[in-house]
Every structure is written in structure tokens, then in C-alpha cells.
Amino acid sequence: MKNFFCRQSLLSFVLISGVMTQSDIAQGMHPSADELGHKLFETVAQFSMDNNHHPTKIDFVRKLIAAHANVNVPNVLDNTPLIEAASMGAVLKRSAYVNALLDAGADVNIQGFNGRTALMWAAHDGDHEMCRTLIAAKSNITLCNGEGHTALMLAARWGNPTALSVLIEAHNNLLRSRKQVLFATWTAAPMEICDMVHPFVEDFINDIDNTGKTPLILAVWQATILPYLGQLEDTVRVLLAAGADTTVIDNDGHTARYYAEQMADSPSKDAVLALLSA
């Protein structure tokens, strides 16, 4: 009897949701996990466009999840509901959608359009709390998008120093844990050997993208295009404190200082030049 009522409840729900019609059900059809997943994506995307939080929508998302919607189903751009939720920008209550999807087992490391993960979108938007949530959910912080940008690079590029600090901390924790694994394996190994084994982890702050730009160069270069975007001075301070190399030259033959000199309209120009010259 309990199963009967659960089944009736599900059939009523899929009718109301628009996933299936009464005719579909009369013919013995039932919604697949992917069909429910696409409705889930549609609901999250609608919230993104509305830029408002509607309690009924998060309830609807939870009901779709309870109906066994595929939480990892991609749309035509390869974005999953989690990526869509994380890319909403700093809108009200998006964390409720992300947490609901994570609780349902959404894969945090799926790479959607242009190779972006949910963490990359949170870093781009400067949502440091969302970054913490996704890192705690085992997001791979070393993944790169199609431009060769990690989440850390995106936080730097778009002038988000708080999110950047969270990601630097995560990279340092990763480095520390990998060194501990090496010491556990080779108890006699000196620190120098560990540094040689995982140099790409240790030098994350000076990683380069497809154009040879480090996080520091990206931050300053972006300001030559959008001079009032983000918190450039604080971003540069965070990067320098973490060991950013000011002498790196990108594929165009330029350093961060060169780009700083091109920031004609930026209110941070003098301060950034002073930091890069210190």
C-alpha cells in the first residue's frame, strides 16, 4: 500500500511538473532519470534568469531529486545542473540549490562548456563561501578550462582576492598532504625530494595558461581591458604574498609590470606599479 501511494505521488508530481502528460501516463510511460534531470536543469536555469529566490523552486528541485532525477545530466552545452547553479553569479540563495545538488551526489568535477567546473564559476564570481563549499565537496582545484585557467587563475583574473585566498589555502593544503604521503612512503626522503617530485603543485602561484600568463599577469592584464573590475590592488597583494614571480614573461613578451603601465584609466595603476616595484 505504501508503494502504491508513493507511485501515485510521483505520477501526480510529473504531471504537475510538465515532465509528462496524462496521455503519456495512460500509455504506461514513465519519466526517465534523464528526463527528470533535464527538468531539474530547466528549473535551476530559470532561477538563474529570474535572479530571485523562490522557495517553491528549491522545493521543486528537491522533489525532482527525490523522484530520482539524474543530477549530472548535461544540457546542450555540457553544463550540469550543479554548474548552472554555481554560475548564477552572486544571486540570493544560490547556495541552497548547490547544497541540494551536492547532497544528491552531483559530481563536482564535471567540466562543462569550455572546460569550466562549478568551482571555476564560483571563483570567477568571487563567491568565496561557495568556493569553500565546493572544495569541501572534493573539487579538483588543479583542473584547467579550455584557456588553461585553473579556478585560482580565474579568481585572480577577475579581481576576487577573498576567493583567491581560499584557493591559495586549498593549494597549500594539497601540497602539504602530498608531501605527507611521500614522507609516509619514503620516510627517509628529505623535503627537497618532495619538492622535485611535485613541483607543479608547489609552484601553483606561477602556473601559466595557454598564453603564458600567470595569475599575477592575468590580474593586471585584465585591468587594461576592464579597469574598474574587481579589487585589483588587493588581488595583487594576495598574489605577491603567496610568492608570485613578477619577472615572468608571457607569450607576447610582457611582464605584469608592462601591463600595469598600460592601465591608463585604472584608479589602481600607481598602487599596483608600486607593489610590483617593491
Side-chain angles (χ1 to χ4, degrees):
M1 183 65 71
K2 180 178 179 181
N3 289 338
F4 170 79
F5 283 116
C6 288
R7 184 179 180 313
Q8 289 302 107
S9 177
L10 173 58
L11 292 179
S12 298
F13 172 67
V14 297
L15 276 172
I16 295 169
S17 69
V19 176
M20 303 192 77
T21 65
Q22 184 70 57
S23 176
D24 292 332
I25 293 174
Q27 295 175 42
M29 298 173 64
H30 301 284
S32 68
D34 281 0
E35 286 173 323
L36 291 170
H38 286 300
K39 189 65 180 181
L40 175 63
F41 186 96
E42 179 185 318
T43 304
V44 173
Q46 185 180 5
F47 167 72
S48 177
M49 290 184 289
D50 289 347
N51 201 32
N52 288 304
H53 175 59
H54 300 288
T56 54
K57 286 186 180 178
I58 186 61
D59 290 342
F60 193 59
V61 164
R62 292 187 178 117
K63 287 178 180 178
L64 284 166
I65 290 171
H68 306 295
N70 179 358
V71 295
N72 292 317
V73 68
N75 72 345
V76 293
L77 296 177
D78 291 330
N79 290 333
T80 63
L82 178 63
I83 292 172
E84 182 68 15
S87 67
M88 289 176 181
V91 293
L92 187 65
K93 300 292 185 183
R94 75 167 167 179
S95 60
Y97 291 79
V98 170
N99 288 329
L101 291 164
L102 290 176
D103 290 344
D107 187 340
V108 291
N109 291 316
I110 290 177
Q111 293 181 266
F113 180 70
N114 197 31
R116 282 203 175 197
T117 62
L119 178 62
M120 290 178 192
W121 277 110
H124 174 283
D125 292 336
D127 190 336
H128 61 280
E129 291 297 339
M130 185 60 62
C131 286
R132 288 191 186 281
T133 296
L134 293 167
I135 290 169
K138 308 300 181 186
S139 287
N140 185 343
I141 58 176
T142 67
L143 290 176
C144 297
N145 67 9
E147 298 172 295
H149 295 156
T150 61
L152 186 149
M153 288 179 170
L154 289 169
R157 175 177 177 176
W158 296 100
N160 298 316
T162 307
L164 177 61
S165 296
V166 169
L167 288 156
I168 289 173
E169 178 186 10
H171 275 273
N172 282 327
N173 289 339
L174 176 62
L175 173 63
R176 191 176 302 112
S177 66
R178 289 188 174 180
K179 285 184 176 181
Q180 288 172 348
V181 169
L182 284 173
F183 276 122
T185 306
W186 302 302
T187 54
M191 185 68 73
E192 290 77 9
I193 292 179
C194 295
D195 292 343
M196 288 188 290
V197 173
H198 289 296
F200 70 94
V201 180
E202 180 136 25
D203 204 30
F204 64 86
I205 205 68
N206 293 307
D207 265 350
I208 58 172
D209 67 4
N210 297 347
T211 65
K213 290 180 174 60
T214 63
L216 178 62
I217 294 177
L218 276 170
V220 183
W221 167 78
Q222 188 68 48
T224 66
I225 303 169
L226 298 169
Y228 294 93
L229 180 73
Q231 303 172 55
L232 178 60
E233 184 179 346
D234 287 342
T235 298
V236 170
R237 287 183 188 278
V238 170
L239 289 167
L240 291 175
D245 186 347
T246 61
T247 66
V248 175
I249 298 172
D250 68 13
N251 293 354
D252 293 320
H254 303 316
T255 63
R257 181 176 177 82
Y258 168 84
Y259 290 113
E261 291 169 346
Q262 311 310 309
M263 298 191 304
D265 299 323
S266 174
S268 303
K269 179 177 180 177
D270 292 340
V272 170
L273 280 171
L275 287 170
L276 295 175
S277 302

